[in-house]
Amino acid sequence: MTPLIWIIDEEWPDYDMERKLLRERYPDCDIRFSSYDYAEDLENFGKDADAILCQIYATLPREAIERLTRCKAIAVYGGGFDRVDIVAAREKGIKVTNISNYCKEDLADYTMAAVYFFYKQVAQLSAEVKTLPWGAQAIERPPMRLSESVMHIIGLGRIGREVAAKAKGNGLKVTAYDPYVSAEEMAASGVAKTGWDEGLAGADYISVNCILNEETTGLIKYEDFEKMKSSAYLVNTARGKVIDEEAMVRALEKGLIKGAMLDVIATEPPTYSEKIFGCQNAYVTPHVSYISVQSFEELKRRAVGNAVMGMEGKISPDLVNG
Ligand SMILES: NC(=O)c1ccc[n+]([C@@H]2O[C@H](COP(=O)([O-])OP(=O)(O)OC[C@H]3O[C@@H](n4cnc5c(N)ncnc54)[C@H](O)[C@@H]3O)[C@@H](O)[C@H]2O)c1
């Protein structure tokens, strides 16, 4: 039977790499495409797909998964697979994969870019230079040197460790909160393990790098912002829902922390009516921290490989519902 591969995506400008790689393996395969609003396509052809390649924004709930008749693999284009019901997929024998570890350098670079954005303020100062006094008076408050600053990482997984390495390379001291990583393991990466309150209270920069799951949804609440230094900056590249966004807006408006750089927010894609877009000292980028020529190439190549492995009954190291 001709394999049917269904791609659910609204991000990529083309699918040349997917076509090339899939046709190398299955010369006669049928490749179909849908937007995130795929309900009609699911009934028309998607239910008979042998594998699904889906963007992280595509939601695949139990009701959709239960309609699938032949599917062997759901290969997510990215690290976060929180919109796929992996339990429902497992029950149907469908292997769900993500792409772990592929963009840790890119996310760590973004985090350091955010640190420097807040630290040296070159973007803000150069944009406003004509309205500012010339010289030291342009600086509202001298920043602490990075060598005197602490980066606190929430979630010391693959990306968190890369953030730690880059932060240390830039002179910061690094602490981390992760209930699933021992103090010994952290010490091996030169990171000091802290408790929840202690880590927040000691940080000049906080990087959110934990997985989003039931346990971490709304992990950072209003009272947690009260524990942070009023001079602290927060960077989130993990998932928006790890933070209670409404609480963060209130905290920023009250000056409980100095600023936040957010590559991920609670509602994605947003409508731009979300309060975070009107919030002073919140800087939002459109979920792009993972992007580089190299990360794109790896993402697509591995996602197709995962779909093929699933279709052929092989276990990918990227399996998330084994
Ligand atoms: N912005 C982007 O473009 C982008 C790209 C890739 C990944 N991500 C996000 O980054 C996240 C981290 O990726 P990773 O590859 O490092 O994942 P990982 O699985 O290696 O690390 C996640 C870490 O979170 C920790 N964790 C679990 N529960 C926790 C809790 N209650 N408190 C603190 N830590 C907890 C785990 O112990 C683990 O060490 C992904 O889940 C994904 O959502 C974002």
Side-chain angles (χ1 to χ4, degrees), residues 229-244:
K229 292 184 186 176
S230 59
S231 57
Y233 296 103
L234 180 143
V235 185
N236 188 6
T237 58
R239 284 289 180 268
K241 289 192 170 124
V242 172
I243 303 174
D244 176 342

Side-chain angles (χ1 to χ4, degrees), residues 92-108:
K92 278 197 74 98
I94 301 171
K95 297 187 172 69
V96 181
T97 49
N98 71 341
I99 309 293
S100 61
N101 218 13
Y102 79 106
C103 58
K104 58 182 185 176
E105 181 176 346
D106 306 281
L107 262 73

Side-chain angles (χ1 to χ4, degrees), residues 38-223:
Y38 59 72
E40 221 173 283
D41 291 348
L42 174 68
E43 292 313 315
N44 290 340
F45 61 85
K47 63 180 179 353
D48 298 323
D50 294 280
I52 299 174
L53 280 156
C54 65
Q55 191 52 257
I56 51 164
Y57 302 117
T59 302
L60 284 168
R62 175 174 286 278
E63 308 81 73
I65 287 170
E66 282 178 351
R67 299 288 304 139
L68 302 171
T69 60
R70 305 207 306 243
C71 188
K72 294 271 180 301
I74 297 175
V76 180
Y77 280 120
F81 51 88
D82 40 88
R83 297 193 188 192
V84 179
D85 189 329
I86 59 171
V87 176
R90 191 195 305 124
E91 285 167 16
K92 278 197 74 98
I94 301 171
K95 297 187 172 69
V96 181
T97 49
N98 71 341
I99 309 293
S100 61
N101 218 13
Y102 79 106
C103 58
K104 58 182 185 176
E105 181 176 346
D106 306 281
L107 262 73
D109 284 342
Y110 175 100
T111 306
M112 289 314 300
V115 167
Y116 278 104
F117 175 87
F118 290 126
Y119 169 40
K120 283 296 179 187
Q121 304 203 22
V122 287
Q124 304 89 315
L125 291 167
S126 59
E128 292 164 20
V129 67
K130 289 185 191 160
T131 62
L132 290 170
W134 193 261
Q137 284 172 23
I139 303 289
E140 197 187 309
R141 192 175 50 96
M144 290 294 276
R145 280 185 178 160
L146 293 189
S147 57
E148 298 299 322
S149 303
V150 174
M151 160 70 81
H152 180 62
I153 299 170
I154 298 175
L156 200 70
R158 287 169 286 239
I159 294 167
R161 280 167 219 239
E162 189 74 10
V163 171
K166 295 233 178 204
K168 281 168 64 65
N170 281 269
L172 289 121
K173 292 174 197 65
V174 182
T175 62
Y177 171 83
D178 190 323
Y180 304 102
V181 181
S182 70
E184 294 69 36
E185 244 184 287
M186 289 196 190
S189 320
V191 176
K193 185 173 169 98
T194 70
W196 179 253
D197 289 0
E198 181 199 351
L200 298 180
D204 299 292
Y205 299 93
I206 295 168
S207 177
V208 182
N209 294 109
C210 60
I211 191 171
L212 175 69
N213 55 24
E214 241 172 77
E215 183 192 330
T216 60
T217 299
L219 181 68
I220 305 179
K221 305 179 176 59
Y222 188 78
E223 62 257 35

